[in-house]
Amino acid sequence: MSDPDPGPEPGAPEERPGVRTPRAWPVIGGRRLAAAPVVVVAVTVAVAVATGGTLWAFGSFDSSRSTGDGAKDGSAKGPTAVEVSLGACGKGWRGGSAGPQTFALHNTSSTAAEVDLIDRATGAVHGEIEGLAPGTTRELRVVLGGGSYAFTCLPDDAAAITGPTVRIEGPATGGGPAAVPVTQHDLIPVALAHQRWVADRTVELAELTAELKRAVDDGDLDAARTAWLSAHLVYARMGGAYDAFGAAGEAIDGSGPAPSGAASAKDFEGFHRVEYGLWHGESAASLRGPADRLAQAVHALRDSWPQQRLDPAQLGLRAHEILEDTARSELTGRTDYGSGTNLATARANLDGTRELLGGLRPLLTSRYPDLPRLDAWLDRTQHTLDRFGEGGHWTPLERLGRQDRQRLNSDIGQAVELLAPVATICDARRTA
């Protein structure tokens, strides 16, 4: 499918084709989210103001400046030294003017601590550092508007301590991103609801893999190919729970070398082993064993799932990672073992992302101002992918024209960019 680019859909965000950007992912607990390769995205630091976009991230620290003796940044005016301890949380900060702020947070206590910079009026977090070890210093950089702020110190195995309130003079607008903390308690109902949804998918998956096995047993390889795709797409929608699948998930997913690096079909199992045989001319007899083992693994997952528990703290991260993995694996063809259905899998991954996002939406509505923009880009991405699967026949990656490839990479890249703040906002935080 290589028809000309139809341009933005009505109501879709403006696309900026050809703009390749450096990644500036939000920091979660001092760890930067990995960047997805081979994507062209539409929002950069340089154009954020011009397009009205926001490169969303809490205040972050520069680990290269972490020291044990209060490092300075080499500027004429060094960072504001702030003490972190049980008895003097936030000592050293006396306020100032609105705009960029740099703090050198020094832990003078005998235990590691998390440190949050909060808005005293709303409780929103503007900056955070996790795991500040005793005797060490890290720089925290934020942009603050006018208002009242304080540092909250959360030592390991001790209650939170909020330091003195300080006043920043200036307009209240213009500050960097901030959000009221999401707690483990907030996320538990979301996790339980998603677990029930996954339970229903495991039943559906078991039925479809049984259909696949019957087709292979009957020697009907055309029916087996159809059943394989239906079953595989159900599994691809369950990405929010992959981390909890354990050994059954490994057997289903068929972890192993990429097709180009496989010495033979014996190098991998699960869906990809069956895929390899169905699209490489293997006989039905040779596929009965792999199809049977796949069905057994799926039934094991279905039967064991009620005893599993999703980690609520991982839900926001998974909402971002599903499409990030799509860009890394499906859009590069690394997971194509012969069927040419990477774009169908990408479309199912998008469904999985939206399912997770739907559960998190009540928490995000008041915390993420770019949520409507994210929804618009997910709609756009869905429309783009659906064009490659008209009539149920999916275009293989190698048949995409240059314009189609660029638009697909751009759409998914922008969606991934806008999903990154979901991971940041929904990272469960202590408040006491």
Side-chain angles (χ1 to χ4, degrees):
M1 182 176 296
S2 58
D3 52 318
D5 189 337
E9 297 304 310
E14 179 186 358
E15 185 177 12
R16 298 177 64 89
V19 178
R20 186 174 298 275
T21 71
R23 291 287 183 176
W25 294 107
V27 172
I28 299 178
R31 301 182 299 279
R32 285 198 179 274
L33 296 176
V38 201
V39 287
V40 181
V41 298
V43 176
T44 71
V45 175
V47 301
V49 174
T51 62
T54 301
L55 198 60
W56 212 100
F58 289 136
S60 60
F61 71 88
D62 183 350
S63 60
S64 67
R65 301 184 186 276
S66 297
T67 72
D69 56 2
K72 300 296 182 183
D73 64 0
S75 62
K77 181 181 178 181
T80 301
V82 177
E83 184 175 344
V84 176
S85 69
L86 290 172
C89 178
K91 181 180 179 181
W93 186 31
R94 297 178 179 83
S97 300
Q101 318 281 328
T102 303
F103 304 98
L105 302 178
H106 182 63
N107 189 348
T108 61
S109 72
S110 59
T111 185
E114 175 185 334
V115 187
D116 293 343
L117 176 58
I118 65 170
D119 185 315
R120 290 295 278 159
T122 65
V125 175
H126 285 259
E128 62 176 355
I129 289 179
E130 288 187 356
L132 182 61
T136 63
T137 300
R138 291 182 187 172
E139 286 189 2
L140 177 69
R141 297 172 180 174
V142 297
V143 179
L144 300 179
S148 298
Y149 301 90
F151 281 102
T152 294
C153 302
L154 300 101
D156 290 353
D157 302 320
I161 305 102
T162 298
T165 298
V166 303
R167 180 70 190 173
I168 291 292
E169 301 298 335
T173 58
V180 175
V182 170
T183 67
Q184 190 91 347
H185 180 75
D186 295 328
L187 292 166
I188 287 174
V190 183
L192 292 175
H194 194 68
Q195 185 150 339
R196 291 190 293 271
W197 180 84
V198 171
D200 291 340
R201 302 290 79 71
T202 64
V203 173
E204 182 182 4
L205 183 63
E207 293 171 352
L208 290 170
T209 51
E211 182 179 332
L212 167 61
K213 181 180 181 301
R214 283 193 299 271
V216 171
D217 288 344
D218 293 342
D220 189 345
L221 296 186
D222 286 338
R225 292 184 190 98
T226 299
W228 179 90
L229 181 58
S230 297
H232 186 249
L233 295 185
V234 170
Y235 187 74
R237 295 184 184 101
M238 299 161 64
Y242 283 171
D243 289 346
F245 286 170
E250 293 178 8
I252 294 168
D253 199 34
S255 57
S260 59
S264 73
K266 296 179 181 179
D267 286 341
F268 40 91
E269 274 292 333
F271 271 116
H272 292 313
R273 170 64 185 93
V274 178
E275 176 188 9
Y276 186 93
L278 286 173
W279 276 273
H280 283 85
E282 288 191 34
S283 67
S286 69
L287 286 173
R288 284 172 186 154
D292 182 61
R293 291 191 294 274
L294 172 61
Q296 289 180 27
V298 167
H299 280 76
L301 175 62
R302 181 199 63 188
D303 295 343
S304 65
W305 184 246
Q307 287 75 51
Q308 303 303 316
R309 291 295 178 267
L310 287 176
D311 182 357
Q314 293 295 312
L315 297 178
L317 184 61
R318 289 304 299 156
H320 169 264
E321 285 182 340
I322 293 171
L323 279 192
E324 186 185 44
D325 290 345
T326 300
R328 182 181 295 113
S329 299
E330 305 306 332
L331 297 194
T332 61
R334 287 173 52 190
T335 53
D336 180 13
Y337 287 74
S339 67
T341 58
N342 286 109
L343 297 182
T345 303
R347 179 64 174 82
N349 291 161
L350 180 62
D351 288 340
T353 298
R354 293 191 117 150
E355 182 63 32
L356 265 180
L357 197 62
L360 295 169
R361 186 171 297 277
L363 301 176
L364 294 168
T365 300
S366 62
R367 292 174 169 89
Y368 186 25
D370 268 349
L371 185 59
R373 192 160 171 259
L374 168 59
D375 289 335
W377 277 98
L378 291 175
D379 289 343
R380 181 188 175 103
T381 302
Q382 178 174 325
H383 176 79
T384 299
L385 285 167
D386 285 345
R387 293 173 57 229
F388 305 125
E390 293 174 353
H393 301 288
W394 289 89
T395 305
L397 280 174
E398 64 270 15
R399 295 185 190 173
L400 291 183
R402 184 172 181 271
Q403 285 185 333
D404 286 333
R405 167 70 77 167
Q406 287 179 335
R407 174 160 183 161
L408 180 60
N409 285 349
S410 177
D411 289 355
I412 288 187
Q414 182 64 81
V416 170
E417 193 83 19
L418 289 166
L419 281 163
V422 173
T424 305
I425 294 167
C426 294
D427 185 29
R429 291 172 169 81
R430 286 177 58 193
T431 57

